[in-house]
Amino acid sequence: MTNQNNNNQNNQNGDNNGNFFNDNPLLALGIFMLSLYILFNAFMGDGNLTGVMGDPAIKNVEQVKYSDIRKKIKDKGVKSVKITATRVEAISTDGSTKFVAKNIPAFDMQLIPLLEKSGVPYEGQVGEGPLEHYFNMFLPIILLLVLWFFLAKKMSKGMGGLLGAGKADKMINSERPDVKFDDVQGVQEAKDEVLEIVDFLKYPERYIELGAKIPKGLLLVGPPGTGKTLLAKAVAGEAEVPFFSVSGSSFMEMFVGVGASRVRDLFELAKKSAPSIIFIDEIDAIGKSRSSGNQMGGHSEQEQTLNQLLAEMDGFGTDTPVIVLAATNRPETLDAALLRAGRFDRQVLVDKPDFAGRLAILKVHSKDVKLAETVDMEIIAKQTAGMAGADLANIVNESALLAGRRNKKIIGQDELLEAIERAFVGLERKNRKVSDIEKNIVAYHESGHALMAELTKGSTRVTKVSIIPRGLGALGYTLHLPDEEDRFLKRKYELMAEVDVLLGGRAAEEVFLGEISTGAGNDLDRATAILKDMIMVYGMSEVAGLMVLSRSQSSFLGGGQINNEFSEQMSQEIDASIKATLTERYEYVKQTLRDYNDAIEKMTAVLLDVEVIEGKKVQEIIKAFEEENGLESRMAHVQTKES
Ligand code: ADP
Ligand code: ZN
């Protein structure tokens, strides 16, 4: 059995660095010039080649001593001479050889008179020579400087600006969204809350003339993927104003002061194009309570950024039509200063959608895909309890991909259901080879879960049992999706039912195979966690009574528990109680499986044969077994209307 956690996606706007060179034509030019220079030097470095290539009459080039050239001039062995600051070249009388002397003495004052005397024509490059010389000396340095400049600039974008960060920062996205309120569904309360902002942005004069104080900041609070960003965009879209967005985590830079300057730029941009919206995603990254936790390094950076943000928010009056929207899923970690009046003093809950909301979101997202007439979105909405808008959008998209892979022209109910399953338990891994021995274990294990799910009051009924490996770890799974309305509370017997169903897997292995495997690890972990929460969080035990021993740190993240103070003795009692309950439930579950011996055998056989069975088949098998043996039915679920 696998976890029913859905993976929430967090859409982030990354900094889109296109092609490195496309972004930096000058850098490309720099590198090109450097290569050219290297090539140029390779050919020129040793005058030979130029000589040969320069004048076709010259057959060979000889490196000679300077004194040799002087001698040749005196002996009338050359017909012309060329002098530069670094070398002297002479062409032999027959024109076939070029003598080159590179290491000339400091400066030979007598060379020109000698040439005059010998009547050898000469030309000099004394004027140009040193220039070429300097050029040779400094070009690489200049090129390196150019290269360094662009590299540094490039890096500064990623790291926060070595060379004066800020202007036209790529971390700040600006756009004019065309998202409308109709695109955001299932969060009606939140929409109502932001409605007045839209009006203010549209007709700021009305409010300003009246002297009305419009909130400057509004905090959107809710789990990831529920549409906080989308809602903020819709506000801008409805008001037809520019939308400047930035992610809180992008403020956390290596260099102190960069975040603060980015905040300054952000507000400057927004004020310049007021009326406008500023959206800060993941504001908890900047606005973390200063008293809580001490992160390494980034601490003073975070503090400076936060202070800058506070200063900016205080800085503009209520008559500036700029509204700052911020999103977080951990409001409890925010610094109190952020929530003070005149800052983010309004909080809007953007929660996971209920049934009607999910239905509406599914409809929004299936507008652009081709759905079969037979698709029943209500069923899909029912089976996706607990999912956020982003998950639902993903399900519609996955189903379209599936239909495409199956070469279908339209998306059917099958694809949608498959996509839900995929979201819950991960991808099917048909190629993974599982040995027959392991398949056998998995089949008994899953049958144990399925039977317990059907027989236990308070459990949801089985939708599907499969022994095809899925996702990362699951070798098989028993899926029981809620088929009724959304649930916000769990009653005690429902929690206990979950424990029984979780224990069903291990119990089946022990009862029918006489051996236990590691396959139940995750089940046992979750069963233990449920029992522990019942004692420590929900006050449902005799050990601690109504005393709560643990608070969950975040209502949205689920994780992070803070333990209240309690005695060592209490701790021991809790452990003992959990262990005793697990043992007792395990014995009960094993007995139940023994009572339904043949039903389990049958289910396992069918599973091994076809690998996947529907919930209906499970119910049939159990019913047949009960009737055969003249047992009164223990099936916990009222038979729903056949569809
Ligand atoms: P958050 O900012 O709360 O993490 P997003 O606004 O980034 O979530 O949501 C991601 C995507 O999921 C959206 O672009 C949209 O396609 C879809 N989505 C999320 N919530 C909703 C919703 N309430 N209505 C319609 N679509 C939604
Ligand atoms: Zn299991």
Side-chain angles (χ1 to χ4, degrees), residues 10-11 183-185 187 223-230 361 365 389-390 393:
N10 214 343
N11 282 6
D183 299 321
V184 195
Q185 291 294 336
V187 285
T226 45
K228 297 182 290 297
T229 312
L230 194 67
I361 294 173
H365 287 281

Side-chain angles (χ1 to χ4, degrees), residues 1-2 445-446 449 476 501-502 504-506 509 519-520 522-523:
M1 181 163 146
T2 18
H445 180 108
E446 298 306 332
H449 283 313
V501 174
L502 284 167
R506 159 62 67 91
E509 289 179 37
N522 185 257
D523 297 338

Side-chain angles (χ1 to χ4, degrees), residues 216-219 248 251 263 267 280-290 302-303 305-314 324-328 330-347:
K216 287 182 198 170
L218 204 133
L219 192 61
F251 285 114
V263 170
F267 277 79
I280 306 175
D281 203 359
E282 302 173 49
I283 195 173
D284 38 290
I286 327 169
K288 229 175 281 162
S289 164
R290 279 171 284 197
Q302 185 218 322
E303 201 154 315
T305 309
L306 176 58
N307 284 336
Q308 188 65 39
L309 178 64
L310 297 175
E312 292 289 347
M313 289 199 71
D314 295 343
V324 190
L325 299 178
T328 182
R330 333 173 44 175
E332 69 286 342
T333 64
L334 291 183
D335 198 289
L338 264 178
L339 308 176
R340 217 165 283 152
R343 296 165 184 169
F344 294 101
D345 49 0
R346 289 228 191 154
Q347 303 195 10

